[in-house]
């Protein structure tokens, strides 16, 4: 396999399930190396569960179903040997100038942006959300051509919007972060990369040290939900459950979504390497994704409740079940013998 | 998730269909466009309404002289005290202090401009907000 980095890129738009993995996959594919979205997601060991009660997003505890933003880019670099040009800027003018230069040289660029500034994104919910990844593949006068990885179609944004979005402040401030592939290795040892990525994911998810990371975090969250049972402050409970739901299914793919992407990765890996054990793990992972969706539906039910208090015991149990099933998947993966 | 289980409730947050990875009858993964999931949509609306309610409440208190317009604009921008403090680079204690109408009156333009940039409003709008209410 010889991968050649294309110098002039004819852009083809791909739509994916999650902004960063789809962005990386679509950029790398357009530059001349076929990398599917699940593969980009899995090989950068990005599957995760994080519950940080001490970090607040929109006033609620941070819940994340994947690693931090930019980790997919870094993981793909580390495990596959692809090198990206990455940079953050202090000077806004320099950042915009470099973007223009790159586009003029026929190089599409991925950007980390704050979604609330992009008019095309979701006009009804202008909430600050800094970790969106989008791709700009050309410009016409004062407008940029955008191929947003989670959108069905390509669109345009004005220069002013891009500048504001790239230099938004707050948590995960993008600081003008931009990236594009700079170097492809001659050959990629997928076996080594996948093995490394899966091992790392397993270690992280099964780690016994901190209660806010991995399987333990799911249980921590379940315990917290259980404690809210019969709380007189129904508004807070509803907001809390609503927050879990929004982060799980609505904003940025969410928990169920990530589990399905990871299952797709396991399946692809099993076909690539000819390992039926991975296929079994994939099947189990699909079931886990379904469980997450079920749990979210439980939250939704409580959300509709008009009564004075909300029964959260069942919801907590649903999340515990997710934790148990997911743990089982990682244990299966752990047992695999890599010759 | 099977292909026919992908939510199609017609309530989208985004202006596009979102892709979900679903399993088809042959056990293969396919990308399926989803037309939105209603409960999630409602949860997000609820979150937004919550902020709006807090903003309205702050507006009333600005009228009575109990708080400064900054608090109203903070809720309008869907932010909390820690977020606002982080974004402006001021300490939470300072921001809280600026919610006091008397301290707010004494603020210089440079600091107000900091708030204005972060909260996406004009400097004049913040300054004249109280006059507009009376």
């Amino acid at each position: 396999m010889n991968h050649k980095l294309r110098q002039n890129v004819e852009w083809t738009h791909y739509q994916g399930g999650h902004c960063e993995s789809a962005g990386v996959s679509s950029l790398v594919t357009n530059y001349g190396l076929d990398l599917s979205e699940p593969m980009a997601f899995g090989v950068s060991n990005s599957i995760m569960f994080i519950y940080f009660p001490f970090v607040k997003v929109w006033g609620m505890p941070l819940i994340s179903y994947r690693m931090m933003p930019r980790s997919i880019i870094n993981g793909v670099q580390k495990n596959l040997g692809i090198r990206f040009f990455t940079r953050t800027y202090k000077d806004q003018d320099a950042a915009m100038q470099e973007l223009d230069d790159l586009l003029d040289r026929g190089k599409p660029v991925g950007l980390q942006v704050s979604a609330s500034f992009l008019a095309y994104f979701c006009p009804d919910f202008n909430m600050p959300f800094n970790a969106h990844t989008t791709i700009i593949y050309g410009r016409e006068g004062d407008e940029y051509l955008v191929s947003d990885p989670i959108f069905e179609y390509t669109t345009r944004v004005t220069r002013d919007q891009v500048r504001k979005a790239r230099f938004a402040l707050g948590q995960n401030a993008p600081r003008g972060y931009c990236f594009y592939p700079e170097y492809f290795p001659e050959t990629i040892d997928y076996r080594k990369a996948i093995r490394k990525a899966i091992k790392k994911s397993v270690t992280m998810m099964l780690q016994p040290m901190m209660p806010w990371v991995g399987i333990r975090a799911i249980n921590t969250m379940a315990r917290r939900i259980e404690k809210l049972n019969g709380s007189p402050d129904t508004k807070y409970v509803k907001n809390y459950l609503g927050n879990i739901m929004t982060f799980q299914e609505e904003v940025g793919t969410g928990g169920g979504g990530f589990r399905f992407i990871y299952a797709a990765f396991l399946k692809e890996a099993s076909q690539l390497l000819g390992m039926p054990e991975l296929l079994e793990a994939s099947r189990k992972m699909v079931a886990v994704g379904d469980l997450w969706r079920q749990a979210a539906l439980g939250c939704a039910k409580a959300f509709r409740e008009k009564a004075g208090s909300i029964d959260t015991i069942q919801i907590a149990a649903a999340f515990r079940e997710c934790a148990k099933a997911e743990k089982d998947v990682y244990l299966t993966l752990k047992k695999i013998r890599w010759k | 998730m099977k292909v026919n289980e992908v939510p199609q409730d017609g309530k989208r947050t985004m202006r596009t269909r979102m892709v979900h990875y679903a399993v088809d009858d042959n056990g293969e993964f396919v990308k399926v466009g989803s037309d939105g999931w209603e409960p999630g949509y409602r949860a997000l609306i609820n979150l937004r309404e919550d902020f709006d309610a807090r903003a309205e409440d702050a507006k009333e208190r600005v009228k009575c002289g109990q708080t400064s317009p900054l608090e109203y604009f903070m809720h309008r921008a869907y932010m909390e005290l820690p977020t606002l403090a982080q974004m402006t680079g001021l300490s939470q204690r300072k921001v809280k202090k600026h919610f006091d109408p008397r301290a707010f009156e004494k603020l210089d333009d440079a600091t107000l401009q900091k708030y204005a940039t972060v909260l996406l409003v004009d400097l004049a709008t913040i300054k004249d907000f109280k006059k507009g209410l009376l």
Side-chain angles (χ1 to χ4, degrees):
Chain A
M1 266 194 289
N2 200 355
H3 312 290
K4 236 182 140 201
L5 193 75
R6 276 190 208 132
Q7 290 307 325
N8 261 315
V9 179
E10 283 290 320
W11 190 258
T12 323
H13 179 67
Y14 296 100
Q15 189 188 10
H18 164 58
C19 64
E20 197 179 341
S21 56
V24 168
S25 131
S26 139
L27 256 183
V28 170
T29 310
N30 269 300
Y31 270 90
L33 192 158
D34 280 343
L35 184 73
S36 71
E37 188 197 353
M39 190 52 109
F41 183 77
V43 94
S44 54
N45 51 270
S46 293
I47 198 158
M48 198 59 220
F49 186 87
I50 294 169
Y51 173 75
F52 281 174
F54 39 83
V55 180
K56 297 279 197 280
V57 181
W58 300 340
M60 284 289 160
L62 170 88
I63 299 164
S64 178
Y65 297 82
R66 52 148 175 154
M67 296 288 268
M68 294 300 166
R70 299 185 197 180
S71 82
I72 295 182
I73 298 161
N74 293 336
V76 165
Q77 293 202 79
K78 221 183 207 163
N79 287 347
L80 289 184
I82 298 170
R83 262 209 296 285
F84 284 97
F85 168 91
T86 57
R87 199 177 158 188
T88 53
Y89 300 85
K90 267 189 182 163
D91 184 6
Q92 299 194 9
D93 292 321
M96 295 310 280
Q97 187 58 46
E98 181 149 13
L99 176 64
D100 287 350
D101 287 349
L102 286 169
L103 292 174
D104 290 344
R105 274 161 48 206
K107 288 195 184 301
V109 181
L111 298 176
Q112 189 191 338
V113 288
S114 167
S116 55
F117 290 93
L118 300 171
Y120 71 85
F121 198 70
C122 58
D124 306 339
F125 301 92
N126 260 341
M127 293 185 164
F129 174 65
N130 270 341
H132 183 61
T133 306
T134 192
I135 296 168
I136 294 189
Y137 68 99
R139 71 186 181 120
E140 267 173 30
D142 242 10
E143 280 191 325
Y144 288 106
L145 308 175
V146 186
S147 156
D148 200 292
I150 61 167
F151 269 59
E152 280 177 293
Y153 44 85
T154 58
T155 172
R156 285 156 184 263
V157 283
T158 61
R159 197 186 171 78
D160 190 42
Q161 280 174 20
V162 173
R163 180 192 287 256
K164 277 186 184 155
R166 289 181 74 185
F167 288 93
L169 300 162
Q171 246 159 27
N172 281 327
R175 304 209 309 284
Y177 188 75
C178 74
F179 64 96
Y180 66 86
E182 212 177 25
Y183 164 81
F184 289 153
E186 298 261 296
T187 53
I188 295 177
D189 187 354
Y190 275 104
R191 186 181 196 89
K192 201 172 148 197
I194 289 169
R195 174 188 177 187
K196 203 169 151 193
I198 288 181
K199 280 203 159 176
K200 183 135 189 218
S201 293
V202 169
T203 326
M204 289 293 277
M205 287 301 291
L206 295 178
Q207 62 84 22
M209 311 277 282
M210 284 169 291
W212 312 294
V213 176
I215 301 292
R216 282 197 68 187
I218 308 177
N219 286 324
T220 312
M221 189 173 84
R223 206 177 315 131
R224 182 78 187 94
I225 295 171
E226 214 166 55
K227 268 191 193 159
L228 289 174
N229 189 33
S231 159
D233 190 357
T234 47
K235 206 173 160 202
Y236 177 76
V237 180
K238 277 188 182 178
N239 278 350
Y240 191 90
L241 295 176
N243 176 57
I244 293 173
M245 231 154 64
T246 25
F247 272 86
Q248 193 181 319
E249 303 296 340
E250 207 56 21
V251 182
T253 318
F258 285 123
R259 269 61 197 164
F260 293 126
I261 296 181
Y262 201 73
F265 158 69
L266 290 175
K267 173 144 190 171
E268 201 181 324
S270 101
Q271 279 162 354
L272 200 68
L273 308 178
M275 292 174 65
E277 305 98 307
L278 287 173
L279 197 62
E280 198 203 324
S282 162
R283 229 173 275 132
K284 279 186 185 168
M285 203 52 154
V286 173
V288 172
D290 286 335
L291 279 178
W292 278 107
R293 283 202 75 82
Q294 284 300 322
L297 273 175
C299 285
K301 227 186 208 166
F303 206 71
R304 239 173 279 150
E305 197 81 47
K306 295 234 164 55
S309 69
I310 296 169
D311 178 31
T312 57
I313 300 280
Q314 273 184 6
I315 300 169
F319 281 113
R320 287 229 168 83
E321 211 169 304
C322 292
K324 208 174 134 207
E326 209 168 318
K327 192 173 181 182
D328 186 42
V329 178
Y330 297 117
L331 288 177
T332 316
L333 285 173
K334 202 177 179 183
K335 273 184 211 132
I336 288 177
R337 286 175 167 268
W338 301 82
K339 280 145 240 157
Chain B
M1 190 162 48
K2 296 268 166 54
V3 170
N4 54 8
E5 287 168 7
V6 175
Q8 310 283 4
D9 297 345
K11 293 260 185 195
R12 299 187 205 162
T13 22
M14 311 263 174
R15 278 189 178 170
T16 170
R17 287 160 168 277
M18 300 282 276
V19 158
H20 287 262
Y21 281 76
V23 185
D24 69 3
D25 294 338
N26 303 326
E28 298 291 330
F29 284 92
V30 280
K31 290 188 201 172
V32 183
S34 154
D35 206 16
W37 187 56
E38 213 225 329
Y41 178 82
R42 188 136 20 91
L44 210 55
I45 291 255
N46 192 282
L47 193 68
R48 194 181 61 168
E49 278 170 355
D50 200 42
F51 273 104
D52 288 345
R54 270 184 263 172
E56 283 307 307
D57 178 48
K59 201 172 174 182
E60 289 304 309
R61 278 182 290 128
V62 173
K63 252 188 216 169
C64 317
Q66 285 168 351
T67 187
S68 76
L70 284 178
E71 193 184 340
Y72 168 75
F73 284 108
M74 177 180 81
H75 293 310
R76 274 283 306 279
Y78 307 115
M79 281 180 205
E80 304 269 318
L81 182 64
T83 325
L84 182 62
Q86 195 184 22
M87 284 174 93
T88 46
L90 301 167
S91 69
Q92 287 193 35
R93 185 184 62 81
K94 269 247 167 93
V95 176
K96 230 183 224 168
K97 194 179 141 197
H98 296 161
F99 286 173
D100 182 344
R102 273 172 304 170
F104 176 75
E105 291 299 326
K106 284 183 209 152
L107 272 180
D108 54 36
D109 273 8
T111 322
L112 266 184
Q113 185 58 50
K114 252 189 209 169
Y115 282 113
T117 335
V118 168
L119 298 173
L120 310 178
V121 282
D122 297 329
L123 188 63
T125 324
I126 297 187
K127 273 187 169 173
D128 301 337
F129 183 70
K130 199 176 172 185
K131 262 183 247 158
L133 284 182
L134 297 177

